[in-house]
Amino acid sequence: MKMMKKIMMVAMAGVMLSAYACGAKEPTPTTPPAPKDNTADIKARGEIIVGLDDTFVPMGFRDAAGNFTGFDVELATEAAKRMGLKVKFQPIDWTLKETELDSKNIDLIWNGYTITDSRKEKVNFTTPYLDNSQAIVTLAGSDIKSKADLAGKSVATQTASSAYEAISADAETMKGFKDGEPVLFDTYDDAFRDLEAGRVDAIVADLILARYYTAQRGTEKYAFLDDNFGDEEYGIGVRKSDVLLLADLNKAMDDMKKDGTAAAISVKWFGENIVK
């Protein structure tokens, strides 16, 4: 009887060891599926959604009647038409633009969207279509004549803007600002109001926006420094997965440049063709 018990125990141990060995097997690694290209879904919908900051003159903003207008709005409308799509403009919180794109609340970021290395990690960009720089604007008569004169001054810009990135990249100049950092506003409209009221001393903003904005309010009120916070390019932001959409959009833009449509829109808004 004792011998029988020993045999049974050895057999059970063997079964348990075998089960353990089977369970301990490493799972076969699998490659996660590639993110879905949403181009077919957009075409089936018949509409492409463009995210924008609707205060960003002259690229994309609302006119007196509340309608969307601007250089980028007209470009986007024409490009969508050539892609066989209607376009819907969706105002977004500019600080969350890439999140809005990834969550599919919008299909494109198109509103004076500066190409930067940090943004390239989050989105794919079309071929650049416009040059830009980060201008320094003061009130006329200001004693600020160069970047060095910003020391001890209140310098404003828009939250999560390319201007903020450009300022942050120049840490030596920024640490000289009053409080060691720029004053941040949700919109440039708010920043310019504070400049005019004397609550800030200077603004760093996209040159294209700043030129248009000051022209509307009276160029004699403002001064532009020769110094700036760097030269840049504008592009259109597309989800990393939407490779086909990127190709279609690049083609539409190339065709608009070749046939003069982009130039005509540029002349309307800027008085000359500044499209690359």
Side-chain angles (χ1 to χ4, degrees):
M1 181 66 72
K2 289 183 180 180
M3 180 62 68
M4 182 64 69
K5 285 183 178 179
K6 286 182 179 179
I7 292 171
M8 289 176 67
M9 289 175 66
V10 170
M12 288 176 66
V15 170
M16 291 173 67
L17 183 60
S18 175
Y20 175 80
C22 289
K25 270 188 179 179
E26 288 289 331
T28 304
T30 57
T31 303
K36 178 185 175 183
D37 188 312
N38 299 280
T39 308
D41 291 342
I42 293 169
K43 289 183 176 180
R45 186 203 308 154
E47 180 181 73
I48 191 163
I49 304 171
V50 174
L52 78 167
D53 166 7
D54 62 355
T55 67
F56 197 80
V57 296
M59 311 307 285
F61 62 103
R62 294 181 187 270
D63 61 20
N67 300 313
F68 293 109
T69 188
F71 173 71
D72 276 343
V73 166
E74 291 198 19
L75 279 184
T77 301
E78 178 64 23
K81 179 181 176 182
R82 293 177 184 228
M83 293 162 63
L85 299 168
K86 294 181 180 179
V87 63
K88 175 183 177 181
F89 294 100
Q90 179 64 53
I92 57 174
D93 181 340
W94 198 245
T95 64
L96 300 174
K97 51 194 173 295
E98 290 86 9
T99 302
E100 294 278 6
L101 186 67
D102 285 340
S103 60
K104 300 183 184 178
N105 291 330
I106 60 175
D107 301 310
L108 302 173
I109 303 173
W110 193 343
N111 191 207
Y113 190 35
T114 301
I115 300 171
T116 69
D117 289 339
S118 63
R119 289 173 177 175
K120 283 180 181 178
E121 295 176 4
K122 303 173 185 176
V123 308
N124 278 339
F125 280 97
T126 59
T127 303
Y129 65 96
L130 218 60
D131 287 325
N132 181 47
S133 64
Q134 291 302 332
I136 304 168
V137 187
T138 65
L139 291 177
S142 169
D143 60 354
I144 300 172
K145 306 299 181 185
S146 68
K147 286 173 74 172
D149 295 334
L150 296 174
K153 305 294 186 180
S154 294
V155 182
T157 195
Q158 186 182 34
T159 304
S161 63
S162 56
Y164 178 71
E165 289 190 35
I167 293 169
S168 300
D170 190 347
E172 189 64 28
T173 299
M174 185 176 72
K175 75 179 183 181
F177 294 173
K178 183 179 179 181
D179 299 326
E181 58 186 9
V183 181
L184 299 178
F185 291 88
D186 289 338
T187 69
Y188 279 115
D189 194 49
D190 292 337
F192 272 96
R193 285 198 184 101
D194 269 34
L195 177 65
E196 291 160 7
R199 290 188 288 269
V200 297
D201 303 303
I203 293 174
V204 180
D206 294 61
L207 177 62
I208 289 173
L209 173 143
R211 287 290 187 199
Y212 187 89
Y213 195 99
T214 55
Q216 299 300 304
R217 292 185 172 241
T219 53
E220 71 281 356
K221 298 178 184 178
Y222 307 94
F224 284 76
L225 273 60
D226 291 334
D227 288 345
N228 62 42
F229 277 89
D231 296 323
E232 301 173 339
E233 295 175 311
Y234 284 158
I236 307 157
V238 182
R239 273 183 292 270
K240 290 277 189 181
S241 61
D242 292 353
V243 177
L244 297 176
L245 181 63
L246 180 65
D248 288 348
L249 192 51
N250 270 326
K251 182 180 186 307
M253 290 292 287
D254 285 343
D255 290 346
M256 289 163 64
K257 293 173 188 177
K258 289 174 183 175
D259 67 20
T261 303
I265 295 172
S266 179
V267 169
K268 173 182 174 180
W269 285 99
F270 305 115
E272 60 181 317
N273 182 20
I274 61 173
V275 176
K276 290 171 69 74

